[in-house]
Amino acid sequence: MPQSTRTFVIVGASLAGAKAAETLRTEGFDGRVVLIGDEARRPYERPPLSKEYLRAEKDFDAAAVHPADFYDDNGIELRTATLATAIDPAGRSVTLAAGEQIAYDALLLATGSAPRRLPVPGGGLPGVLYLRSVEDADALRHAIGPSAQLVVIGAGWIGAEVAASARQLGASVAMVELAAVPLERVLGPEVGAVYRDLHAAHGVDLHLGAGVEAIVGSEAVDAVRLSDGTVLPATAVVVGVGVTPRVELADAAGLTVDNGIVVDEHLRTSAPGVYAAGDVANAFHPRYGARIRLEHWSAALNQGPAAARAMLGGDVVYDRTPYFFSDQYDLGMEYRGWAPGFEQVVFRGDPAGREFLCFWLRQGRVAAAMNANIWDAGDALEALVRADRPVDPVLLADPDVDLAGLAGPPGP
Ligand SMILES: Cc1cc2nc3c(=O)[nH]c(=O)nc-3n(C[C@H](O)[C@H](O)[C@H](O)COP(=O)(O)OP(=O)(O)OC[C@H]3O[C@@H](n4cnc5c(N)ncnc54)[C@H](O)[C@@H]3O)c2cc1C
């Protein structure tokens, strides 16, 4: 059989990009696959960076997407420490920092996202840390030994998980958040309160509804000053105030960009032959009739392969239920669905005992569901979210009522 002469280029060598490259091979593509990443290491997963890797319970190999020899073995040209500086959708080429140009037949942009910077005085002092890469995690690990006083700015997922890991390592931790409870933006006040109590119970000094006025220090960080005048002593500060999608290449090339690279349900951008996946993709979701940009592990894991199949000409529609997970202390959770503008939260089980299910209802339907320290409910929760039918909140809350029955008969 003649070898294909086509070249598929993937920019962004992390989870979405690496899974796309793998899928091209498992789907039988025998042309050239070039996987370009600006990080020095082979692709790895980031969730351990705030959890087991940060606490030195897992090493880099355990976080890597593939074994070291996978790329050579599969004829994937992995170009690490290589920044792509431009794409030319009309001429179908990618330019690298050293000037090299690579012509492509199809291109996947899996450039991910980067931490949003905190624009306050002192924000650039040594000891003010962000967490995205393995190198960031190594620096943070060094900064959070038992004698450390860590101030975490932002009680979103990264901040909350770092606070938990730092406490587990014996550091003193203060957490500062503008909202009234941790994780409020996604989980809302009721479930956010569960996390507030969890961190308080583990000795985190919580400053909620509080803004940061300045980070203080001469040579390095000494303290964080809040808007109400409170001064929190700090040997290190970690900032977790969200991420921004890395759209530079797409933007400069004139692709449609709006809170990420805009793609349709086939993960196609506005330029022919160019696709996007993972954190950077603001993808039309046919079940919601809306574009959603997901900053979750599972979206990178699944959109990468979906984009690869689309690049190969497959009839791909990406319509998976959004999913993410988080581990803090001994509380593990999974969340399924998408619930902006929910109207009601229903608990089943014991939030105070941290073993419960909960449901976010919109128009009387389960828009999203979460299992906390309960590990056999995932399929039932997925079915409830997918069913998108009215449910009685009293039955949802009743542990004696079968959840599968509430979802109704399986769809076609
Ligand atoms: C500390 C941490 C903990 C997390 N924990 C969880 C969790 O518990 N659960 C969960 O669901 N999600 C979690 N996430 C989110 C999850 O890791 C991300 O959603 C996922 O990494 C996105 O993968 P991606 O491949 O789309 O992008 P990224 O992982 O951001 O990778 C993009 C890659 O592209 C590279 N790149 C960008 N531009 C260029 C260019 N021009 N040239 C070359 N290379 C380029 C970047 O350097 C990077 O290596 C966590 C994230 C972090 C940082």
Side-chain angles (χ1 to χ4, degrees), residues 152-173:
V152 177
I153 300 178
W157 297 109
I158 302 287
E161 290 192 350
V162 167
S165 287
R167 285 298 299 135
Q168 286 168 275
L169 292 171
S172 311
V173 178

Side-chain angles (χ1 to χ4, degrees), residues 113-116 131-132 158 241-245 259 279 293 295:
S113 53
R116 201 174 285 144
L131 179 56
R132 187 76 195 169
I158 302 287
V241 293
V243 294
T244 46
N259 178 30
D279 271 24
R293 192 174 66 77
E295 297 163 355

Side-chain angles (χ1 to χ4, degrees), residues 6 51 75 163 171 216 218 231 257 259 265 321 344 374 383:
R6 288 186 295 169
K51 310 177 186 72
V216 188
S218 46
V231 175
V257 167
N259 178 30
E265 64 268 46
T321 303
Q344 187 182 354
I374 293 177

Side-chain angles (χ1 to χ4, degrees), residues 11-17 36-39 46-47 49-51 82-84 110-113 131-132 158 161 246 248-249 277-280 295-298 300 323-326:
V11 180
S14 183
L15 184 57
I36 299 164
D38 60 355
E39 295 189 67
R46 299 185 200 275
L49 303 185
S50 51
K51 310 177 186 72
T82 302
L83 179 73
T111 46
S113 53
L131 179 56
R132 187 76 195 169
I158 302 287
E161 290 192 350
R246 291 186 62 177
E248 315 86 83
L249 292 177
D279 271 24
V280 79
E295 297 163 355
H296 306 322
W297 169 87
S298 78
Y323 166 95
F324 64 86
F325 63 94
S326 176

